[in-house]
């Protein structure tokens, strides 16, 4: 069951390339993105969750650190031993597939194809929620640097979402990589450094927990933190049912720490080759990073008794403690001295809380806010918290601790800002795949359009959702469903998909691969059950939104009609242009046909199939595009990407259409040759009259035969003459004539070079310098000297003879 399903030779080759693949792409000028570039371009979302995964785990456990730690450990095991192997198996089978929906179409059995519709819908929702949660989180972290900007938090979140959208649309996903690479790399290096310090200091200095209340009080007083969740009683006081409820609640919230992970395989089209190795390595490193950062943060939060603070990251509170105690002047508990100013501020806060509470009662409602941290506290207790907050500010002011916090805040805000890239790029990739399947309008095939649409939906929802804790309930359904669909697809993989990768169905390798899918199913199904039972209130909204997108896909694809397995296309005359499609699936098949023809054309060009025509490849492309009704834009895209490996069609039906079109190579060559002959025949038709002399036995037919023989030296006389006899001069559409004209001019240039001996004899006959009743033979070289032709000049009786002989 644990035997490697990867071909040993392929594995050895990939391992040898891995050092280069780590930094492939921008750094070394490769054709694709390496492991690090891939992670930072697409999966910044997966790394950015270091900012809030601890907050959510503690929040879901009602402030209990021990329960949050247990829940996160279980989740980590499920991720590393279940989800990771399943995703790696899927990436090995089809690295270009993309998200969970496309993977079902690529390698899943027909009975599971309905999952691809749902997977696409949920993935698109997941992308929208990624933008929302990342932009709001980035705005929250910005409060660390500018707490006075708290009233403009949502406006700032909207600006962040708009900024990344503009960058990606203006530059394109791939050209924007430097932005993600620099920001993600700086954040990762700093996080590894900072969390190492956090973990070691938390383990050695648990007494620093007294600082936590001062930090939280300051944040609440400044309006940065809107809600604080603390444990109300001891763990021993909890019943078994209460413990289980909190444990499952923490798991359902902590799952958000794995967000963005599902986007990594969706970036397969950007990866360097071998793509599966790059993707699999990125999957492993991202999992290690997610688990490692979560464990250290939770351990430190438990040691320092850090509560769940909505609006501010648990990680940043840990950073503040380190900044004050390690890089600052340090604070001792005995240094806390309550001043009269602290008492007056405390009295003012309590009075403000009472007035606010009374106002809320009059309005018939209640909002969590300032009263949460002063409720039940005496003036001295609140004054003590304020005094501690003042000491913390003094401990870091003008020290390396202030610099440390500044760097931490800036980098965390940047990575949360860049985390939107995962939603934009991954969601756009899935939308493009759906468009290729004919389930969304064709304009979604341009990633920029998908990015703009995702931003538009997100921009509307950001002011409505406002809080990370609100959106996380909905957000988790997107990527957990991706885990479920991917794992199930790998377990039920089609035999032909295994054979394509050199894995014999029923072999030990096949069983090992399916076992990876089974482990993913166990892990993802368990996570899904926990999510459904704990976030039931969000389920209805997810079902409605996902169902609406799915229904739209079905309507656009087939208008709810029963579509035959094989879509029949009307044979259109050359130059008819692109037909008007009535169904999305018709467009999908026609575009698969066009891609097959273009790839066949490019293969012929690469093989030198058109070399004999002495016409540039662009002119040939234009001719073929006209003859076979190919969109010029699609032809240019295929040509630009031809040096890379072909991305297979997204499902078997479209692949069959593609292969049928690709098999038209011989027909393409024949049609091009036909119009090559047309151009040469036009020259013969226009110029043969100059050498006709009935008095000397040269009628039109005699001259035409001589010209045909000389201009077509490698073709049997009877074959080419028969074709010429059927020729009729006609006006041709411009795309055809521009190609044929090149052949016309070629014949015009070649005729004087090849015919000088024959035309000299004809001229001598015309001037009576050679008797008409003698036989004259001349030898001409053709085909680059590879052949010689003995041509017998016609006599008065019209006799002719042409004999070929080898060199």
């Amino acid at each position: 069951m644990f035997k490697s399903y990867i071909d040993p030779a392929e594995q050895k080759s990939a391992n040898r390339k891995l050092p280069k693949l780590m930094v492939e792409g921008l750094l070394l000028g490769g054709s694709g993105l390496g492991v690090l570039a891939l992670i930072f371009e697409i999966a910044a979302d997966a790394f950015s969750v270091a900012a809030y995964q601890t907050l959510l785990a503690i929040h879901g456990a009602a402030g209990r650190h021990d329960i949050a730690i247990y829940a996160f450990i279980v989740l980590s095991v499920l991720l590393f031993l279940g989800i990771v192997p399943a995703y790696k198996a899927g990436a090995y089978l089809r690295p270009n597939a993309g998200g969970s929906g496309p993977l079902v179409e690529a390698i899943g059995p027909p009975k599971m194809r309905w999952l691809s519709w749902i997977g696409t819908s949920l993935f698109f929702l997941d992308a929208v929620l990624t933008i929302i949660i990342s932009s709001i989180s980035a705005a929250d972290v910005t409060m660390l640097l500018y707490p006075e900007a708290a009233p403009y938090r949502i406006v700032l979140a909207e600006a962040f979402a708009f900024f990344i959208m503009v960058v990606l649309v203006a530059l394109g996903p791939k050209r924007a990589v430097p932005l993600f690479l620099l920001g993600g790399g700086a954040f990762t290096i700093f996080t590894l450094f900072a969390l190492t310090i956090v973990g070691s200091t938390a383990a050695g200095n648990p007494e620093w927990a007294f600082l936590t209340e001062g930090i939280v009080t300051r944040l609440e007083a400044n309006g940065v933190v809107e809600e604080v969740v603390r444990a109300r009683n001891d763990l021993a006081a909890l019943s078994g049912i209460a413990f289980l409820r909190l444990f499952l609640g923490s798991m359902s919230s902590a799952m958000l720490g794995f967000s963005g992970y599902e986007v990594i395989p969706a970036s397969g089209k950007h990866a360097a080759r071998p793509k599966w190795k790059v993707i699999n390595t990125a999957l492993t490193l991202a999992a290690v990073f997610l688990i490692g950062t979560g464990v250290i943060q939770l351990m430190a939060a438990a040691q320092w008794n850090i509560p769940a603070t909505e609006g501010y990251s648990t990680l940043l509170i840990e950073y503040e403690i380190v900044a004050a105690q390690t890089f600052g002047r340090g604070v001792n508990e005995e240094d806390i001295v309550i001043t009269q100013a602290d008492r007056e501020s405390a009295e003012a806060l309590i009075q403000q809380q009472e007035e606010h509470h009374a106002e809320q009662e009059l309005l018939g409602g209640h909002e969590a806010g300032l009263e949460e941290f002063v409720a039940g506290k005496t003036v001295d207790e609140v004054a003590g918290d304020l005094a501690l907050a003042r000491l913390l500010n003094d401990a870091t002011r003008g020290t390396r601790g202030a610099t440390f916090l500044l760097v931490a805040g800036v980098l965390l805000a940047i990575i949360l800002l860049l985390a939107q890239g995962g939603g934009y790029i991954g969601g756009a990739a899935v939308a493009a795949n759906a468009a290729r399947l004919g389930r969304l309008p064709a304009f979604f095939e341009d990633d920029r359009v998908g990015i703009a649409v995702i931003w538009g939906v997100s921009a509307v929802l950001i002011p409505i959702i406002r809080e990370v804790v609100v959106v996380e309930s909905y957000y988790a359904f997107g990527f957990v469903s991706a885990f479920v669909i991917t794992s199930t697809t790998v377990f039920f993989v089609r035999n032909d998909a295994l054979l394509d990768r050199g894995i014999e169905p029923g072999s030990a390798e096949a069983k090992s691969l399916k076992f990876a899918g089974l482990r993913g199913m166990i892990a993802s199904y368990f996570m899904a059950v926990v999510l459904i039972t704990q976030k039931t209130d969000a389920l209805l909204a997810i079902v409605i939104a996902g169902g609406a997108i799915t229904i739209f896909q079905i309507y656009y694809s087939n208008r709810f009609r029963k579509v035959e397995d094989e879509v029949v296309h009307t044979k259109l005359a050359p130059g008819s242009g692109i037909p008007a499609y009535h169904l999305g699936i018709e467009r999908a098949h026609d575009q698969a046909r066009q891609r097959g023809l273009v790839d066949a054309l490019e293969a012929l060009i690469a093989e030198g199939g058109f070399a004999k025509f002495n016409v540039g490849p662009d002119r040939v492309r234009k001719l073929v595009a006209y003859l076979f009704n190919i969109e010029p834009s699609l032809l240019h895209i295929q040509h630009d990407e031809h040096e890379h490996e072909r991305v297979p069609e997204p499902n078997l039906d479209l692949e069959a259409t593609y292969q049928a079109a690709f098999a038209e190579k011989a027909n393409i060559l024949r049609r091009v040759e036909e119009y090559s002959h047309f151009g040469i025949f036009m020259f013969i038709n226009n110029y043969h009259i100059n050498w006709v002399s009935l008095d000397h036995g040269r009628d039109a037919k005699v001259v035409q035969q001589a010209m045909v023989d000389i201009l077509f030296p490698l073709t049997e006389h009877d074959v080419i003459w028969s074709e010429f006899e059927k020729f009729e001069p006609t006006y041709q559409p411009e795309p055809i004539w521009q190609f044929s004209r090149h052949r016309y001019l070629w014949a015009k240039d070649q005729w004087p070079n090849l015919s000088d001996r024959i035309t000299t004899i004809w001229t001598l006959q015309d001037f009576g310098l050679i008797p008409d009743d003698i036989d004259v033979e001349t030898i001409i070289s053709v085909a680059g000297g590879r052949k010689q032709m003995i041509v017998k000049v016609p006599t008065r009786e019209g006799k002719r003879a042409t004999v070929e002989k080898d060199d």
Side-chain angles (χ1 to χ4, degrees):
M1 288 296 185
F2 294 96
K3 181 178 180 179
S4 176
Y5 47 80
I6 301 174
D7 179 72
E10 187 178 5
Q11 180 74 279
K12 184 177 180 180
S13 174
N15 290 339
R16 188 169 58 251
K17 297 176 182 177
L18 184 58
K20 179 184 176 183
L21 290 174
M22 292 294 294
V23 292
E24 177 76 44
L26 293 179
L27 297 184
L28 299 181
S31 60
L33 301 183
V35 176
L36 297 179
L38 187 66
I39 290 175
F40 298 142
E41 184 215 16
I42 305 295
D45 184 25
F47 277 31
S48 69
V49 292
Y52 47 80
Q53 59 183 348
T54 311
L55 158 70
L56 295 169
I58 299 172
H59 185 278
R64 298 192 172 279
H65 300 91
D66 40 13
I67 295 178
I69 291 173
Y70 297 149
F72 193 78
I73 289 174
V74 173
L75 280 176
S76 299
V77 172
L78 294 176
L79 176 70
F80 202 76
L81 300 182
I83 305 301
V84 173
Y87 265 88
K88 290 172 74 172
Y92 179 71
L93 289 173
R94 192 58 67 88
N96 291 318
S100 55
L103 189 69
V104 174
E105 296 284 353
I107 67 172
K111 64 183 178 182
M112 286 179 55
R113 289 184 64 181
W114 61 275
L115 282 175
S116 70
W117 301 81
I118 297 175
T120 297
S121 301
L122 294 178
F123 203 108
F124 193 81
L125 286 177
D126 184 74
V128 170
L129 295 175
T130 295
I131 309 307
I132 295 171
I133 198 170
S134 298
S135 58
I136 291 177
S137 297
D140 288 342
V141 173
T142 306
M143 301 303 103
L144 169 68
L145 306 175
Y146 303 103
E148 63 275 11
Y152 310 102
R153 174 172 158 270
I154 298 303
V155 175
L156 191 61
E158 290 277 20
F160 285 159
F162 180 75
F163 171 72
I164 295 298
M165 182 274 293
V166 169
V167 169
L168 290 173
V169 169
L171 299 180
K174 200 166 184 178
R175 292 184 180 178
V177 169
L179 178 68
F180 295 92
L181 188 63
L182 294 175
F187 169 79
T188 304
I189 294 171
F190 177 82
T191 300
L192 294 174
F193 161 75
L195 281 182
T196 299
I197 297 175
V198 168
S200 59
T201 54
N205 301 277
E207 68 276 7
W208 291 353
F210 77 93
L211 296 173
T212 299
E213 281 301 314
I215 295 173
V216 173
T217 297
R218 187 197 72 229
L219 295 171
E220 290 180 296
N222 290 336
V224 174
V225 170
E226 299 187 10
E227 181 184 3
V228 178
V229 179
R230 298 181 177 88
R232 298 300 181 186
N233 45 32
D234 296 333
L235 182 63
L238 293 176
S239 65
I241 295 177
F243 176 87
L244 180 62
R245 181 179 60 81
L246 292 177
F247 175 78
L248 295 177
S250 181
M251 280 191 66
S252 64
S253 295
M255 285 179 194
L256 197 61
F258 301 150
S259 66
Y261 192 83
E262 80 288 358
V263 182
I264 297 176
S267 60
K269 65 180 181 181
H270 298 279
R273 287 180 283 181
K275 294 185 177 182
W276 66 267
K277 186 65 176 180
V278 174
I279 296 172
N280 286 2
T281 306
L283 288 168
T284 301
L285 290 179
V288 170
F289 186 90
L290 294 176
I291 293 171
T293 55
V295 167
I296 294 176
Q297 287 183 68
L298 279 171
M299 184 273 292
Q303 286 286 87
W304 291 335
N305 197 29
I306 300 175
T309 51
E310 174 57 25
Y312 197 78
S313 169
T314 305
L315 176 64
L316 287 177
I317 294 177
E318 296 170 354
Y319 283 172
E320 290 203 45
I321 294 175
V322 170
Q325 300 296 78
T326 303
F327 298 107
R329 300 183 183 91
V331 177
N332 295 317
E333 197 165 3
E334 56 269 19
D335 294 336
I336 303 175
V337 177
I338 301 176
T339 65
Q340 184 60 32
D342 293 329
R343 293 180 185 277
E344 292 175 358
S345 297
E347 290 174 353
L349 286 173
I350 291 175
Q351 183 179 357
Q352 182 182 350
Q353 175 260 319
E354 290 174 348
E355 292 174 355
H356 178 76
H357 187 69
E359 181 182 347
Q360 292 299 316
E361 286 186 343
L362 286 175
L363 295 175
H366 174 74
E367 292 181 2
L370 182 65
E371 69 271 21
E372 292 295 329
F373 79 94
V374 298
K377 290 185 178 181
T378 65
V379 172
D380 285 343
E381 288 174 329
V382 175
D385 291 340
L386 295 177
L388 178 55
R390 177 168 43 79
L391 284 176
L392 278 169
N393 289 334
D394 293 339
T396 56
R397 186 179 297 115
T399 67
R400 288 180 299 168
T403 304
F404 177 83
L405 284 179
L406 178 64
V407 173
V410 170
L411 290 179
L412 200 50
I414 288 175
I415 196 64
L416 285 165
L417 186 63
L418 299 181
Q420 299 172 76
Y424 280 132
I425 298 172
V430 171
N433 189 81
R436 201 170 187 181
L437 284 164
R439 299 174 182 177
L440 289 178
F443 54 73
F444 275 101
E445 290 195 50
D446 186 343
D447 285 348
R448 290 176 171 85
V449 174
I451 289 170
V453 170
I454 292 171
W455 167 79
V457 178
S458 303
V460 172
L461 295 178
I462 286 174
I464 298 173
I465 292 176
R466 302 184 66 86
E467 302 295 339
V468 172
V469 172
V470 173
V471 72
E472 61 99 358
S473 297
Y474 304 92
Y475 186 33
F477 280 97
F479 61 83
V480 170
S481 67
F483 292 168
V484 169
I485 294 173
T486 298
S487 302
T488 307
T489 302
V490 171
F491 181 74
F492 291 103
V493 59
R494 297 192 313 269
N495 288 339
D496 64 285
L498 292 174
L499 291 171
D500 287 344
R501 293 299 280 139
I503 301 174
E504 190 66 31
S507 64
E509 290 79 6
K511 292 178 181 178
S512 174
L513 187 140
K514 290 194 172 188
F515 182 57
L518 178 62
R519 283 183 283 164
M521 288 174 65
I522 294 172
S524 60
Y525 286 14
F526 178 74
M527 293 168 71
V529 169
V530 170
L531 192 62
I532 291 172
T533 57
Q534 299 302 308
K535 306 293 184 184
T536 309
D537 55 335
L539 189 59
L540 179 61
I542 292 295
V543 169
I544 293 175
I549 298 176
T550 302
I551 290 172
F552 176 79
Q553 289 185 80
I554 296 173
Y555 174 77
Y556 185 85
S557 175
N558 54 39
R559 304 292 196 272
F560 299 106
R561 306 175 190 174
K562 183 179 179 181
V563 180
E564 299 297 329
D565 292 337
E566 183 178 350
V567 179
V568 179
H569 301 281
T570 305
K571 291 290 186 180
L572 299 175
S576 299
I578 307 304
Y581 307 110
H582 301 291
L583 303 175
I585 194 171
E586 289 180 344
R587 172 179 58 79
H589 277 271
D590 190 57
Q591 290 185 336
R593 173 193 68 85
Q594 294 180 55
R595 285 189 289 268
L597 290 170
V598 171
D599 283 350
L601 171 63
E602 294 299 328
L604 284 169
I605 292 174
E607 296 165 2
F610 301 114
K612 64 180 181 178
F613 301 130
N614 198 33
V615 176
D618 285 341
R619 182 58 61 191
V620 175
R621 291 188 182 102
K622 291 179 181 179
L623 173 64
V624 173
Y626 178 84
L627 294 177
F628 292 90
N629 300 306
I630 299 173
E631 290 185 59
S633 59
L634 180 63
L635 185 142
H636 293 150
I637 291 172
Q638 294 293 96
H639 172 52
D640 292 341
E641 298 179 351
H642 187 70
E643 65 271 16
H644 304 304
E645 62 180 326
R646 182 182 79 89
V647 177
E649 294 300 316
N651 65 20
L652 290 176
D653 295 340
L654 294 180
E655 183 66 19
T657 300
Y658 171 92
Q659 293 297 340
F662 188 81
E664 293 283 309
K665 286 175 67 175
N667 187 38
I668 293 174
L669 185 59
R670 182 188 64 79
R671 296 296 301 278
V672 172
E673 188 168 44
E674 175 183 329
Y675 287 103
S676 169
H677 290 180
F678 179 87
I680 299 173
F681 290 165
M682 280 293 293
F683 167 77
I684 295 173
N685 179 76
N686 291 345
Y687 275 80
H688 79 279
I689 193 67
N690 294 305
W691 299 104
V692 171
S693 177
L694 298 179
D695 294 338
H696 296 284
R698 297 194 307 275
D699 59 14
K701 183 176 180 181
V702 169
V703 176
Q704 288 170 350
Q705 285 189 338
M707 296 180 75
V708 165
D709 286 344
I710 289 176
L711 293 174
F712 293 94
L714 301 181
T715 307
E716 292 287 340
H717 171 79
D718 292 340
V719 173
I720 194 65
W721 178 248
S722 174
E723 185 177 340
F724 179 80
E725 286 186 311
K726 298 175 184 176
F727 162 78
E728 293 182 6
T730 56
Y731 286 103
Q732 295 291 347
E734 193 66 14
I736 293 178
W737 175 241
Q738 286 303 321
F739 172 81
S740 299
R741 175 175 167 272
H742 281 275
R743 300 302 290 154
Y744 180 99
L745 295 175
W746 174 86
K748 185 177 180 181
D749 292 338
Q750 293 302 308
W751 172 249
N753 298 327
L754 298 175
S755 66
D756 55 348
R757 296 184 182 180
I758 296 176
T759 54
T760 297
I761 294 172
W762 285 347
T763 302
L764 291 175
Q765 285 181 338
D766 291 341
F767 282 100
L769 300 178
I770 297 178
D772 291 336
D773 57 353
I774 66 170
D775 293 333
V776 178
E777 293 181 348
T778 186
I779 299 175
I780 63 172
S781 296
V782 295
R786 294 191 303 273
K787 283 193 175 182
Q788 290 183 332
M789 298 181 64
I790 302 176
V791 180
K792 187 174 182 179
V793 180
T795 62
R796 183 181 294 276
E797 288 76 20
K799 297 179 181 179
R800 63 177 300 281
T802 301
V803 180
E804 295 184 7
K805 71 174 184 178
D806 295 331
D807 290 343

